[in-house]
Amino acid sequence: MPRSKDESTRTLILKACRRLLEAGPGQAVRMSDVAKAAGVSRQAVYLHFPKRADLLVETARHIDAEEDVDARLAPSRAAKDGLSRLDLYIEAWGNYIPVVMPTARALIAMSDTDEDARAAWDNRMAAMRHGCEAAVRALKNDGRLTPELEADRATDLLWSLLSVDHWDNLVGRCGWSQPDYIAQIQRLARAALVKPAPQARTPRITSL
Amino acid sequence: MPRSKDESTRTLILKACRRLLEAGPGQAVRMSDVAKAAGVSRQAVYLHFPKRADLLVETARHIDAEEDVDARLAPSRAAKDGLSRLDLYIEAWGNYIPVVMPTARALIAMSDTDEDARAAWDNRMAAMRHGCEAAVRALKNDGRLTPELEADRATDLLWSLLSVDHWDNLVGRCGWSQPDYIAQIQRLARAALVKPAPQARTPRITSL
DNA sequence: GGCGGACTTGACACCGTGTCAAGCGTTTCC
DNA sequence: GGAAACGCTTGACACGGTGTCAAGTCCGCC
């Protein structure tokens, strides 16, 4: 099934697509552009990806595989307490956003018109939400979830704080650095979701 | 310049455009659709709005005028202390979002390809940011801005919390009610930006 | 009466997506 | 060795939506 060399035409196209999306913020990235960049005919692209939406969806998957998104999220899953799980999840996902961002934007733009693109994107967002849900649950188990919020409300909030739009607003438009973004979202999430630690036995005023 | 009746063709078109945008979430709203809905020829639309981007931009302005956005924002400007200014600004803008949302979405979608649409939308966002800036400044003057944040950082954060994406995530996707959304954003903004009141003279533990 | 402005009608160019058909060069398998 | 199968190329075309153009119609109004 490969053409001849070690790289199949399919992955050649996916890599070209990714490269184009990452290169030009505000670029069109038409099917013909991808074909040209992959050094392949326009029809070859359609041969592997019948619709443009398919190409974008598969590009996103390809990035997930190349960047090993699972490995990135593993530390948060292994966290011992709710608070560190929250922090680690924010760190992992927050640092993954810039990686998928270009493809995400293209996919979101298609979602307005294309049903498949919408479904694919919703799916990704649902997966991300599960991570938020797990973090909130861990927090709740530790008795550290703020009493002002139901678990699902807290999940919604965290999910929205970690949305790619939010990242784009702060990093893309406001010019925040990536570490600043991570730190501020962690601070924000704590402020919004976490209640102060039950200061156990000895009632001392601690400033942390 | 009016055609004959009390309503000029121009406003007829703008109203039709608004109606269509509000009617169909996920609808295309092509130039021909607007023309049909306004009971006018497609070319009449182009006569008043040379490009589709122009039509959308003017529709947004038209909504601002019809809904008197300035009057809505007046209370926050009149607020006496920073904290209430923050709350009132969130309430005013947060309640305005659903009004402009449909048009906003169309404008944002165009921003990917159309430079004018992008500029127009950026402009609106800049105006909204000024409101955030004012609220943060008022907070700072009261000595209630959290020491963890510079004023411009705080403005960025508030601005992003009040973005239409955020509203769309929480209300549109998560199904929050409008009052819930307002209350939670207010809570979130306080948690993120406001430091506890300097408990003046008498050091009593207050739970508010 | 005739002028000018607002609008209509119908045609057309352009661009990007998606489709189709025929052809070409390798590989594979009998 | 020959034929079928496969992966890809070439070139054409339909479609839908935007934007343009030119001619024509219907007004009110000086």
Side-chain angles (χ1 to χ4, degrees):
Chain A
M1 47 295 286
R3 53 171 6 193
S4 56
K5 302 294 293 301
D6 43 9
E7 288 220 308
S8 72
T9 298
R10 184 188 149 89
T11 38
L12 225 54
I13 293 170
L14 289 174
K15 291 195 171 194
C17 185
R18 177 180 182 182
R19 204 177 335 123
L20 286 183
L21 287 166
E22 284 170 357
Q27 290 293 26
V29 188
R30 299 165 288 247
M31 293 300 259
S32 52
D33 296 330
V34 175
K36 196 177 300 178
V40 115
S41 73
R42 197 170 66 93
Q43 274 51 28
V45 179
Y46 278 104
L47 231 49
H48 290 275
F49 311 97
K51 313 271 167 194
R52 199 176 100 99
D54 298 333
L55 172 57
L56 294 178
V57 170
E58 291 307 310
T59 301
R61 276 202 231 291
H62 175 247
I63 292 173
D64 286 347
E66 266 196 333
E67 303 289 336
D68 208 347
V69 62
D70 281 341
R72 286 167 175 259
L73 294 174
S76 77
R77 276 193 287 267
K80 279 304 164 228
D81 60 304
L83 206 56
S84 56
R85 172 151 205 163
L86 180 64
D87 277 349
L88 288 170
Y89 188 70
I90 292 173
E91 187 183 345
W93 175 255
N95 281 326
Y96 191 60
I97 292 179
V99 174
V100 269
M101 191 63 198
T103 307
R105 284 204 87 54
L107 214 42
I108 293 170
M110 282 216 75
S111 301
D112 291 336
T113 59
D114 187 288
E115 195 49 44
D116 290 352
R118 222 189 77 76
W121 181 249
D122 285 356
N123 211 45
R124 291 181 80 81
M125 288 302 91
M128 199 273 269
R129 197 178 189 284
H130 285 134
C132 296
E133 203 174 352
V136 168
R137 194 164 38 235
L139 219 49
K140 185 165 191 174
N141 284 343
D142 290 2
R144 296 296 300 277
L145 183 62
T146 178
E148 303 189 69
L149 242 34
E150 296 299 316
D152 53 351
R153 280 304 169 87
T155 303
D156 291 344
L157 211 50
L158 179 58
W159 172 76
S160 190
L161 289 180
L162 280 178
S163 74
V164 296
D165 318 294
H166 209 220
W167 180 90
D168 199 36
N169 283 335
L170 296 175
V171 179
R173 294 176 199 272
C174 295
W176 289 21
S177 74
Q178 181 64 21
D180 278 2
Y181 162 80
I182 298 289
Q184 287 299 337
I185 297 295
Q186 284 173 339
R187 200 182 72 84
L188 192 49
R190 286 168 109 111
L193 306 183
V194 180
K195 78 171 171 196
Q199 40 203 84
R201 196 88 337 183
T202 55
R204 283 173 59 188
I205 287 91
T206 68
S207 58
L208 197 256
Chain B
M1 47 295 285
R3 51 166 13 186
S4 56
K5 303 293 294 297
D6 43 8
E7 288 221 308
S8 71
T9 299
R10 185 189 148 89
T11 39
L12 224 55
I13 294 170
L14 289 174
K15 291 194 172 195
C17 184
R18 177 180 183 182
R19 204 177 334 122
L20 285 184
L21 285 167
E22 284 169 357
Q27 289 294 27
V29 189
R30 299 166 288 247
M31 294 300 260
S32 52
D33 297 330
V34 175
K36 197 177 301 178
V40 113
S41 73
R42 196 169 67 92
Q43 274 52 27
V45 179
Y46 278 104
L47 231 48
H48 290 275
F49 311 96
K51 313 271 167 194
R52 198 176 101 99
D54 298 333
L55 172 58
L56 293 178
V57 170
E58 292 306 310
T59 301
R61 276 202 230 289
H62 175 247
I63 292 174
D64 287 346
E66 266 196 333
E67 303 289 337
D68 208 348
V69 63
D70 281 341
R72 286 167 175 258
L73 294 174
S76 76
R77 277 192 287 266
K80 280 303 164 226
D81 60 304
L83 206 56
S84 56
R85 172 152 203 163
L86 180 65
D87 276 349
L88 288 169
Y89 188 70
I90 291 173
E91 188 183 346
W93 175 255
N95 281 326
Y96 191 61
I97 292 178
V99 175
V100 271
M101 191 63 198
T103 306
R105 284 202 88 53
L107 215 41
I108 293 170
M110 282 215 76
S111 302
D112 290 337
T113 59
D114 188 288
E115 195 47 46
D116 290 353
R118 220 188 78 76
W121 180 249
D122 285 355
N123 211 45
R124 292 180 79 82
M125 287 304 89
M128 198 275 267
R129 197 178 187 284
H130 286 134
C132 296
E133 204 174 349
V136 168
R137 196 164 36 234
L139 218 49
K140 186 165 190 175
N141 284 344
D142 291 2
R144 296 294 302 278
L145 183 62
T146 177
E148 302 189 70
L149 242 34
E150 296 300 316
D152 53 351
R153 280 305 169 85
T155 304
D156 291 343
L157 210 51
L158 179 57
W159 172 75
S160 189
L161 288 180
L162 280 177
S163 72
V164 297
D165 318 293
H166 209 220
W167 180 90
D168 198 36
N169 281 336
L170 297 174
V171 179
R173 295 176 198 271
C174 295
W176 289 21
S177 75
Q178 182 65 21
D180 278 2
Y181 162 80
I182 298 288
Q184 286 299 337
I185 297 293
Q186 285 173 339
R187 199 183 73 84
L188 193 49
R190 287 169 110 110
L193 307 183
V194 180
K195 78 172 171 197
Q199 39 205 79
R201 195 91 334 182
T202 55
R204 282 173 56 188
I205 287 88
T206 68
S207 58
L208 199 254

